[in-house]
Amino acid sequence: MASAVVDLSAAGVASPRVDAELLAAHVLGVSRGRLLLVDSLRPEELTRFAALVAERAKRLPLQHLLGTAAFRHLELQVGDGVFVPRPETELLAGWGVEHTAPGATVVDLCSGTGAIALAVADEAAPGRVVAVERSPAALTYLRRNAETFGVVEVVEADVTDPGILGDLRGAVDVLLCNPPYVPAATPVPPEVALDPAEAVFGGDDGLTVIRPVVALAAALLRPGGVVGIEHDDVHGRAVPELLRADGRFTEVTAHEDLSGRPRFATARRA
């Protein structure tokens, strides 16, 4: 274990000990907390562990090696072709849970793995949850996770198409979105670079998808319905301004993540 931590640290992995322990637990089929009860790894387990550590040292995402990603109370299936949900997005999901009344209709745009949609379905009592995604690869994981964790309707569509979800016009109570929002020229960590580019980058200014999402939210939400949109930390002013400029929203609010960086914006449909 010590040598694995050294190797991962030398490779620039941010949390080498945690990652090594999670990989060891994965090989052994136990929780990380039970590693203290394990005296040693058998030869075949050690070989597999060493191979996984080597892959992580190449900066392959930990979640891809494990096949799952933790998100709030869920363990979601992830892999090549789908954006790995990040801890900061749990804040937007939590806001969505808090604003979902029993029986509410909830829409999750740019759903990816379904993390936000499934968290709301798991922790609140919505009447209907619709998850929208366009990527065929991401849809594979979205459908798997939806089948595993709850009743979420999956819709294959492009959120920049203003005509989608015609049956929900003016009927949505909560609309949430974690779109691609990183400005195109922004350097990203190696792990993020392995996520699908279309799920990470949002055009030159990072707002290419957010702009049509704001208009779509205004069309879908009922009067009094709410929207929450995650954004890059350089968009702390830009996204609230887009919501205000639309003219159909009130109570526009900027939210920070746990490190104090701008992270998502919310508003209420007038």
Side-chain angles (χ1 to χ4, degrees), residues 36-104:
L36 291 174
L37 303 178
V38 177
D39 293 328
S40 61
L41 277 68
R42 291 174 293 188
E44 62 272 20
E45 294 169 339
L46 187 58
T47 298
R48 187 179 173 206
F49 175 63
L52 288 172
V53 170
E55 292 293 284
R56 183 68 184 105
K58 296 175 186 175
R59 303 300 291 274
L60 268 69
L62 173 69
Q63 295 87 349
H64 284 194
L65 297 174
L66 300 177
T68 61
F71 189 84
R72 293 182 69 86
H73 305 299
L74 305 173
E75 285 284 338
L76 302 169
Q77 294 186 50
V78 299
D80 291 339
V82 68
F83 182 80
V84 175
R86 291 344 194 235
E88 54 265 30
T89 303
E90 294 186 7
L91 299 175
L92 175 60
W95 183 90
V97 169
E98 292 171 2
H99 287 80
T100 299

Side-chain angles (χ1 to χ4, degrees), residues 102-120:
T105 296
V106 180
V107 170
D108 174 28
L109 301 178
C110 304
S111 191
T113 60
I116 293 175
L118 290 163
V120 173

Side-chain angles (χ1 to χ4, degrees), residues 9-20:
S9 180
V13 173
S15 52
R17 179 166 296 280
V18 171
D19 286 26

Side-chain angles (χ1 to χ4, degrees), residues 117-180:
L118 290 163
V120 173
D122 178 57
E123 298 176 49
R128 184 180 182 188
V129 180
V130 179
V132 180
E133 176 56 54
R134 77 172 187 177
S135 162
L139 280 161
T140 298
Y141 290 96
L142 173 55
R143 292 188 173 110
R144 288 178 189 169
N145 288 321
E147 291 173 1
T148 300
F149 291 109
V151 180
V152 169
E153 300 173 40
V154 176
V155 174
E156 181 176 0
D158 187 335
V159 302
T160 65
D161 177 357
I164 68 171
L165 303 180
D167 63 317
L168 288 174
R169 299 276 152 157
V172 175
D173 298 292
V174 180
L175 186 144
L176 304 166
C177 183
N178 178 22

